[in-house]
Amino acid sequence: MSGSLTSRAIAAGVIWIACALGLGGWAINGVFQGSISRQFDARLEAELDLLTARIAESDSNPAGRMSNPDFLRAYSGTYWQAYAADGRQYRSRSLWDTELPVPETVDGEYRKETGGPGDRSVRLLARTVTMPDGMQWTLAVGRDRSGLQKEVAAFQRTLLLSAALFGAVLLISAFLLLRIALAPLRRLHRAVQGRQLRSGPIEGPYPSEIAPLVDDLNRMLTRNERLRERGRLQAANLAHALKTPAAILANELAKARRGDPLDLTLSTEAVDNIAAAAERHLGLADAGPEDGPVPASTDAVPVAREVVRAIRRIYPDQSLEIAADRAVLVRADRSEITEVLGNIVDNAAKWARGKVRLSLSGKAGLGAITVEDDGPGVPVINRDRILEQGVRLDETRSGTGLGLTIVADIVERHGGRIRMARSSLGGLKLVVELPAGQLAASHPSLPSGLD
């Protein structure tokens, strides 16, 4: 069933009120008619009792002793008559020249709706009584029902008008109550619409019936916001991940155009890195990173050698040194380690004055990747800021401000951490620690500058 809650509630209210008022009016009308009919009969019985008493006092004509003046007016609508067994007959002047249709003898009491003078409906009450002198009398009184019917019709009109007014008041009250009851939903609707212009949860007091819905909406909105942010970050991460291999390919193509020999190994690695990055980021877009399987162990050392070799091509004026254990296993896939190493080494080479040092080691269930440079360094107050998305401390240098954000996202996702300090070379020392795939065996460090 479509339509608004208000229209459906009002329609249901109209039906319910109509049924309730109809049944109530029918019951009230029935009670009223029963009550007024009993009063009508009680009055007839009183008149009949009075007639009986007057006949018992004297068997002469009781017309002058019946106190109701309606008995004296012709066709007034109130009548009596009396028949004795010896043939005597008496009747009220109101009957004039007519009679009430009463049997000669009545067994008990006789009640009947019958025609009367003027062809009007008359309620008739009769009885046969035996007086103290032994004479049997048939006594009857009657009253025109038109007055009763007029009273009933007037009451019914009043009842119908009252029911209509009462129903209208009930409908207006129901509508107002419904507006008040639905006001929190309208406020919630405005809050949801207003949230398009601002961020943050939906706030404000809501009734206990709606508060769970508000909580669910806040959770859904927060999750959607997180998904949107993650989508933007994934797109930025993919673009950033493709930047280094794309730069390598561009560099190699430029060499080929100059007639220099093309490094097919390096170019192939760059193409493989592009394909791996695209596949990984598309996988993360389909299923959130938190939904993915636990990655296998990856040896970071050969990845570091490839990254250093590629960065040297991009920054030929920088001196890049590498010192590493023979194997440093970390719990992340190869493409992620490539992104981590590529971003932190690229960032160090960009800021270094002439020297970058990369160290890899495995110890106590952790794989540590350390990059140092001899650049200007980063003040302590800004070290956390450089991990935020899009933050660049120096706008004069090219870049997007996403490299270290990508590193922080990968490290956080795998339960690692990032530490920063001042390097012995004079610049920034950045340490990335990731859970080890297994306890890495410690080996003597390889010579500095190892390819």
Side-chain angles (χ1 to χ4, degrees):
M1 181 179 179
S2 60
S4 68
L5 286 175
T6 302
S7 61
R8 282 186 281 180
I10 292 297
V14 168
I15 295 173
W16 184 88
I17 291 173
C19 292
L21 290 178
L23 290 174
W26 174 80
I28 293 173
N29 183 63
V31 170
F32 175 78
Q33 290 197 51
S35 176
I36 198 171
S37 295
R38 286 191 296 272
Q39 292 179 12
F40 192 87
D41 287 348
R43 188 171 180 181
L44 284 178
E45 288 178 358
E47 297 289 356
L48 186 58
D49 290 342
L50 179 61
L51 179 60
T52 303
R54 295 292 182 258
I55 293 295
E57 291 173 0
S58 172
D59 57 4
S60 61
N61 189 351
R65 288 169 289 161
M66 297 298 289
S67 59
N68 192 339
D70 289 340
F71 290 132
L72 303 177
R73 290 186 295 107
Y75 304 128
S76 64
T78 304
Y79 316 102
W80 66 264
Q81 70 182 21
Y83 294 139
D86 60 0
R88 285 177 292 173
Q89 299 182 12
Y90 304 106
R91 60 177 181 266
S92 64
R93 186 175 297 177
S94 57
L95 276 173
W96 198 249
D97 58 352
T98 60
E99 295 183 359
L100 295 176
V102 181
E104 292 184 0
T105 58
V106 177
D107 185 11
E109 285 192 347
Y110 177 79
R111 299 173 185 267
K112 185 178 180 182
E113 302 287 338
T114 184
D119 294 328
R120 290 185 293 182
S121 175
V122 173
R123 176 73 167 169
L124 184 64
L125 177 61
R127 71 165 68 114
T128 298
V129 296
T130 301
M131 297 301 171
D133 61 0
M135 182 60 65
Q136 191 178 58
W137 289 80
T138 300
L139 309 177
V141 295
R143 180 179 289 272
D144 188 352
R145 284 181 54 85
S146 60
L148 176 66
Q149 293 169 346
K150 289 179 181 178
E151 288 186 28
V152 171
F155 175 79
Q156 289 175 340
R157 287 194 297 271
T158 302
L159 180 63
L160 183 61
L161 179 61
S162 300
L165 291 175
F166 187 55
V169 171
L170 285 179
L171 283 176
I172 294 173
S173 302
F175 178 77
L176 293 177
L177 288 175
L178 191 63
R179 293 283 297 177
I180 294 172
L182 294 180
L185 288 178
R186 291 193 295 273
R187 191 167 73 249
L188 177 60
H189 178 239
R190 290 192 297 269
V192 172
Q193 286 185 321
R195 197 181 181 279
Q196 299 174 0
L197 304 177
R198 60 176 179 80
S199 59
I202 298 173
E203 298 177 346
Y206 287 93
S208 58
E209 295 82 2
I210 299 178
L213 173 62
V214 176
D215 294 338
D216 291 341
L217 279 175
N218 278 332
R219 283 192 291 269
M220 183 186 70
L221 291 172
T222 301
R223 180 176 180 274
N224 288 344
E225 185 67 26
R226 200 163 53 239
L227 289 174
R228 284 195 297 270
E229 288 297 325
R230 191 177 70 190
R232 287 194 290 266
L233 182 60
Q234 290 294 344
N237 289 355
L238 176 59
H240 202 277
L242 299 178
K243 183 184 71 172
T244 299
I248 293 172
L249 288 175
N251 187 56
E252 292 301 314
L253 289 174
K255 288 171 55 180
R257 279 196 295 269
R258 293 194 302 266
D260 297 335
L262 182 67
D263 190 334
L264 293 177
T265 301
L266 188 61
S267 300
T268 302
E269 290 175 355
V271 172
D272 291 341
N273 288 337
I274 289 175
E279 182 178 357
R280 189 177 76 85
H281 283 86
L282 288 175
L284 290 176
D286 290 336
E290 64 275 9
D291 301 328
V294 177
S297 298
T298 301
D299 188 355
V301 175
V303 179
R305 293 173 182 167
E306 295 175 4
V307 168
V308 168
R309 189 161 59 248
I311 296 297
R312 282 175 177 164
R313 297 276 186 156
I314 300 174
Y315 300 96
D317 297 333
Q318 298 287 7
S319 172
L320 273 69
E321 298 180 355
I322 177 171
D325 292 343
R326 294 192 180 277
V328 178
L329 298 178
V330 292
R331 198 169 64 234
D333 61 42
R334 182 181 179 88
S335 62
E336 290 176 316
I337 299 302
T338 301
E339 284 196 46
V340 169
L341 284 164
N343 281 307
I344 59 178
V345 176
D346 177 81
N347 186 73
K350 182 187 300 182
W351 291 97
R353 293 188 174 92
K355 186 174 184 180
V356 176
R357 184 164 60 206
L358 171 63
S359 304
L360 296 93
S361 63
K363 57 181 179 180
L366 291 174
I369 303 171
T370 304
V371 177
E372 301 176 76
D373 63 72
D374 61 352
V378 178
V380 175
I381 193 173
N382 289 329
R383 286 176 184 171
D384 290 335
R385 291 188 60 228
I386 65 174
L387 299 179
E388 297 176 5
Q389 183 175 355
V391 172
R392 295 167 58 197
L393 299 182
D394 187 350
E395 298 290 339
T396 63
R397 300 289 185 97
S398 62
T400 61
L402 294 173
L404 294 183
T405 303
I406 296 171
V407 173
D409 179 61
I410 295 174
V411 171
E412 180 183 1
R413 196 161 61 239
H414 290 288
R417 65 172 181 167
I418 298 176
R419 293 185 291 110
M420 284 176 277
R422 186 169 182 79
S423 169
S424 60
L425 299 178
L428 177 67
K429 176 181 180 180
L430 188 146
V431 182
V432 174
E433 293 179 339
L434 289 167
Q438 63 184 53
L439 289 178
S442 180
H443 298 277
S445 296
L446 295 175
S448 181
L450 176 68
D451 288 335

